[in-house]
Amino acid sequence: MNKIITTLLMTLFMQSSVTAAVIEKTSDGKYSIKTGDVSMTVDTNGGKILSFRLGDAEVISQSRFPNSFGSTFWTSPQREWNWPPVAEYDRMPYDAEAGESLVMTSQVSERMKYRIRKTFTPVDSDHSIAVTYTIKNESSETRKVAPWEITRVPNDGVIFFDAPLEGITPAGLLNFTSAHGLSWYMADEAAQNRKVNADGKGWLAYCAKGLLLVKRFQDLDASQPAPDEAEIQVYVNMRKTYIEIESQGAYTELKPGEELQWTVRWYLLPYDGAAEPSEALKSLL
């Protein structure tokens, strides 16, 4: 009996050693986060997620054109800063500290007076990565703001979430269909940029080329997003270049020195079926 117990303990130790999360700085100055077969690469420039992989298979856009690759974070509503994205949040260097989590901290925006902190935590139990965004009000005034994650993926496959077709606005701008109790958008091509808003149920998914990306976040009611924004947004760039899958947290009042936190849980799974609406694809959720 003791021999059997010893063998079982050794097996469990070997399995935990293989799957244990690793956070390390790479030779090019970026950071790698690994849990099981899932890996994420984060750049100190903008604290931007450059890669999210299952083995060698990549799910995030690798385009080299500005604002067309990786995953970034902005404050909402956009009307407060318009365009381009705020430099301190989107592309300037972040301070980095690596331990059980990778913590990246931005400079304070001279214009917006917020500081952004991103905490990346690998979760070995399900090989997901939890990304917690913190917005701190560094101004001397009470402000309202919402968190906003923007992830660029190739213009391919299918995007789906739980929202009625009539709740996706502007109506008809993207060719969503209703099937299996969800709304689905098959990637297409057009000569103009297009963007829609929706009130989802706290998750958003994208499937293409054998990979299923699922994000989970706080489910908002219709009154909680920032003005003219939404819990879920899908932006399709003109021609067949890239798509942004976006989610936002609650519009929150912050007094001077106060901060809000908002977490998005990232999952990446293999899927050998067709990247199209199906009950099999829905069941993986």
Side-chain angles (χ1 to χ4, degrees), residues 11 42 87 91 102 120 132-134 140-141 157 193 209 225 236-237 253 267:
T11 301
V42 185
R91 58 186 181 274
L102 172 63
F120 303 86
T132 298
Y133 299 98
T134 303
S140 58
E141 301 175 341
N193 302 327
K209 296 181 178 178
V236 181
N237 200 54
E253 182 176 281
Y267 302 83

Side-chain angles (χ1 to χ4, degrees), residues 147-193:
W148 183 7
E149 184 185 72
I150 301 91
T151 302
R152 290 135 184 166
V153 296
N155 189 325
D156 197 4
V158 62
I159 292 164
F160 58 106
F161 48 82
D162 189 351
L165 285 183
E166 60 271 20
I168 300 174
T169 57
L173 191 60
L174 292 177
N175 188 26
F176 274 87
T177 59
S178 180
H180 312 289
L182 304 175
S183 289
W184 309 73
Y185 166 68
M186 296 288 292
D188 63 2
E189 182 176 358
Q192 73 274 3
N193 302 327

Side-chain angles (χ1 to χ4, degrees), residues 19-272:
T19 60
V22 176
I23 300 176
E24 58 185 4
K25 191 173 184 178
T26 60
S27 59
D28 57 1
K30 300 177 177 61
Y31 284 84
S32 172
I33 305 169
K34 296 181 180 178
T35 172
D37 292 332
V38 173
S39 63
M40 177 180 283
T41 301
V42 185
D43 194 352
T44 53
N45 290 326
K48 188 171 290 184
I49 299 170
L50 298 181
S51 173
F52 193 46
R53 294 188 178 190
L54 182 65
D56 293 329
E58 176 66 63
V59 74
I60 290 179
S61 170
Q62 298 297 296
S63 168
R64 291 295 90 191
F65 290 103
N67 300 309
S68 67
F69 63 91
S71 182
T72 189
F73 179 83
W74 301 333
T75 57
S76 178
Q78 185 172 353
R79 69 186 188 188
E80 291 189 348
W81 49 267
N82 196 19
W83 194 260
V86 178
E88 291 88 349
Y89 310 155
D90 187 71
R91 58 186 181 274
M92 291 179 65
Y94 278 55
D95 294 330
E97 296 182 18
E100 292 185 356
S101 298
L102 172 63
V103 181
M104 291 200 169
T105 306
S106 78
Q107 302 174 42
V108 177
S109 166
E110 293 184 9
R111 179 158 61 106
M112 302 302 298
K113 306 302 182 185
Y114 294 119
R115 186 191 304 276
I116 306 302
R117 186 169 68 250
K118 304 179 182 182
T119 303
F120 303 86
T121 305
V123 183
D124 276 337
S125 60
D126 57 9
H127 301 313
S128 65
I129 297 179
V131 186
T132 298
Y133 299 98
T134 303
I135 302 175
K136 184 175 182 180
N137 181 7
E138 298 279 10
S139 77
S140 58
E141 301 175 341
T142 298
R143 310 280 302 282
K144 291 196 74 173
V145 66
W148 183 7
E149 184 185 72
I150 301 91
T151 302
R152 290 135 184 166
V153 296
N155 189 325
D156 197 4
V158 62
I159 292 164
F160 58 106
F161 48 82
D162 189 351
L165 285 183
E166 60 271 20
I168 300 174
T169 57
L173 191 60
L174 292 177
N175 188 26
F176 274 87
T177 59
S178 180
H180 312 289
L182 304 175
S183 289
W184 309 73
Y185 166 68
M186 296 288 292
D188 63 2
E189 182 176 358
Q192 73 274 3
N193 302 327
R194 296 164 290 162
K195 184 171 184 175
V196 297
N197 296 333
D199 177 18
K201 297 297 182 183
W203 63 269
L204 174 61
Y206 166 77
C207 181
K209 296 181 178 178
L211 293 176
L212 172 62
L213 169 64
V214 180
K215 296 187 182 188
R216 290 193 174 275
F217 39 83
Q218 178 190 3
D219 182 21
L220 305 183
D221 63 42
S223 67
Q224 289 182 287
D228 302 319
E229 304 287 351
E231 176 185 324
I232 289 175
Q233 299 176 312
V234 177
Y235 167 85
V236 181
N237 200 54
M238 67 174 63
R239 298 181 291 277
K240 201 170 178 67
T241 48
Y242 70 94
I243 296 174
E244 291 179 351
I245 54 174
E246 309 174 12
S247 50
Q248 296 196 22
Y251 193 44
T252 304
E253 182 176 281
L254 297 179
K255 295 178 181 178
E258 287 187 338
E259 60 185 37
L260 66 81
Q261 290 189 337
W262 178 67
T263 298
V264 181
R265 192 81 165 262
W266 289 52
Y267 302 83
L268 192 57
L269 306 171
Y271 180 68
D272 58 7

